[in-house]
Amino acid sequence: MAGRWVPWLVIGLWIALAAVMVPLSGKLGGVTKDKAVDALPASAESTKVAALEEKLPGGEENTFVFVYHRAGGVTDADRAAVERHYNAFVKRYPPKVAAPAGEEDEGPPTELSKDGKAVLFTLNVSTSYGEPAVLIGPLRDTAKDRPAGLELKVTGPAAIDADMDAVFDGIDLQVFLTTVIVVTLLLILTYRSPVLWFIPLMAVCVAALTAMATVYLLVKNFDLVINSQNSALLTILVFGVGTDYALLLIARYREALHQHENVRVAMLHALRGAAPAIIASAATVVAGLLCLLAADLNETRGLGPIGAAGIVCALVAMLTLFPAVLVVLGRWIFWPAIPRFSATIVERKQGLWGRLGASISRRRWVATIASLGVLGVLTVGLTGNTSALREQDQFLSTPESVAGFTVLRQHFPELGGQPMTVYARPAYQEQVLNAAKRTPGVAQAFPGETKGGWVDISVFPKDAPDTVAEYDTIKRVRAAVHAVQGAEAIVGGPSAEHLDTEVTTSRDQKLVIPLVLAVVLIVLGLLLRAIVAPLVLMATVVVSFAAAFGGSVFLFDTILGFKGLDYSVPLLAFLFLVALGVDYNIFLTHRAREETVRLGTRDGMLKALSATGGVITSAGLVLAATFAVLISLPLVMLVELGFLVAFGVLLDALLVRSVLVPALTLLIDRRMWWPSRLAAPPPAAPAPPAGRHAVTDEEEYALQR
């Protein structure tokens, strides 16, 4: 940035890059995959069923369940309307493969409930006619022509998929615009300047669009899986960390402008001071995200390189484009509080963070025990409901498909679960069918079509979908049909997919969480060139995560009444809170190490807290606010993840980094930097002249104040 032409060259290169990348960013939504089976590895049994369905003649099918009900009992006219609807649907969406001779049409497979108040039929529509979101509207419109008082709920796996797609429809644009508004407001409040807020916002927007284009290219060329959830998280990550980097750089730049008249020289000093911590922070988050490559779940594994690409784009933009624009615009961009150059160093008055540091220094044990006490109380919430959230409980407002399952359970309790799809060789059809029927927990089973050397069998469990009892039934059915030698039977279906997802996620958590801890610990060790400090910082972050998780579970269970936690929330929340939580400790301890060289451990930490307290707290508020954007979306999973991460970031920024870490550092003192040379005791001071006494640490600190 020292040469006059360098900032303009950097801006020109970014303009050229934006001209190429921005058009590609809009294509990201076209490569997202939101089906449960897309998230599963190819080795999962339900994935094998889905792959077989897609390969067989006629392709994969969407299963809709039409549940008609009348409080006073179904009439003959109602039955006639149901049959008319069924015939109309079959005519509009005929099977792609003709039924074998003698099985053409045995009448609509309607079923009357035992209480006579409901009737249902199942409709299988080939995916060649469109996705569930495309089909659901015409199906519901056709069924509007029915007798007065006869109510209808269209449910089933495909209907739930359609309602889920409706939630994610336009989510990328909604998250992007909401995040821009939130970050804009926070930047205006932070800088209280009519123009300064626009520069970091502009740079972050460019970084976000570049990240979206980069991820689109990665997905197209490296067979990565990205769903709408990960796409939204990409936007949140880039805006959150990008704005954090901007806040830290501006703070250093403002300091440098007081000491250097030339803005280019001031920016070089600001970059030398802030860039190492920012790069270390980005490296920590990227390393943590890339640990997800070890996961089996496609959507989890895909988030690793996707999120890492977003962090790298934010890092590059905020260390090149952002400072270049600041330098070109000069000092006036800070108006009305323009930092003035002064040849004499003016001692700043002790502010809020200086007073907090002095208080912690006087009451180190009190600060440590009080902080740990607050965190310990919050962890009690972990005793709340942490069971897996059912798919039907994912919606904040109940859609028709979920209401339909409730009606189905009321009138057809024996068909309360979602059907399993069993594929087997035709020669073993009867053996597999009988094995399924004899399995405890199965309500009924019946054969379907034979095609491509396979026969499909539908198996209905007795228990409600996505419950432990239904999952146990699926496991028993799998064991029973696998025991039929030569049948090559495999069991899939919506609930089987959810079971495989839960099992895979559990395995991923056991592998990825220790890996993230190890990688982040190594990065901290390399940055701080110590062993004790990284261990202390990691311990505080883990305790902070446990407290945030416990407090969030208490809120979800006791106050909001959620029915559990989405399977993906614990791992994602852990990753974000550990990687992003360590960020603030990096910003603080990196500055503390820098000051320790001159002032010693105690005064170095107090100086670092005083210098970085305000900007790191502002960064924490911005990051928390960006994740809180997820709370505005109508899906329980996103609300849970958004709140948990936002709460954890605030807890880390306001308590752990501001009180606990400084208190622990003051207690451990120079041993914090072991085994680096900073841990060595200072050389003995020469004896004071006669008539004078040695200055104590407390007196020296009072003089510095």
Side-chain angles (χ1 to χ4, degrees), residues 31-34 39 172 225-232 299 306:
V31 295
T32 56
K33 298 178 180 179
D34 291 314
D172 287 344
V225 174
I226 180 172
N227 57 14
S228 297
Q229 168 191 305
N230 288 352
S231 179
E299 64 177 17
I306 289 167

Side-chain angles (χ1 to χ4, degrees), residues 39-59:
L40 287 167
S43 59
E45 189 166 340
S46 56
T47 307
K48 295 177 181 178
V49 170
L52 184 59
E53 284 180 329
E54 190 173 353
K55 184 174 66 175
L56 290 175

Side-chain angles (χ1 to χ4, degrees), residues 261-283:
E261 189 172 8
N262 188 300
V263 293
R264 295 189 299 277
V265 174
M267 180 56 74
L268 279 176
H269 280 270
L271 285 171
R272 289 194 187 106
I278 292 175
I279 292 172
S281 165

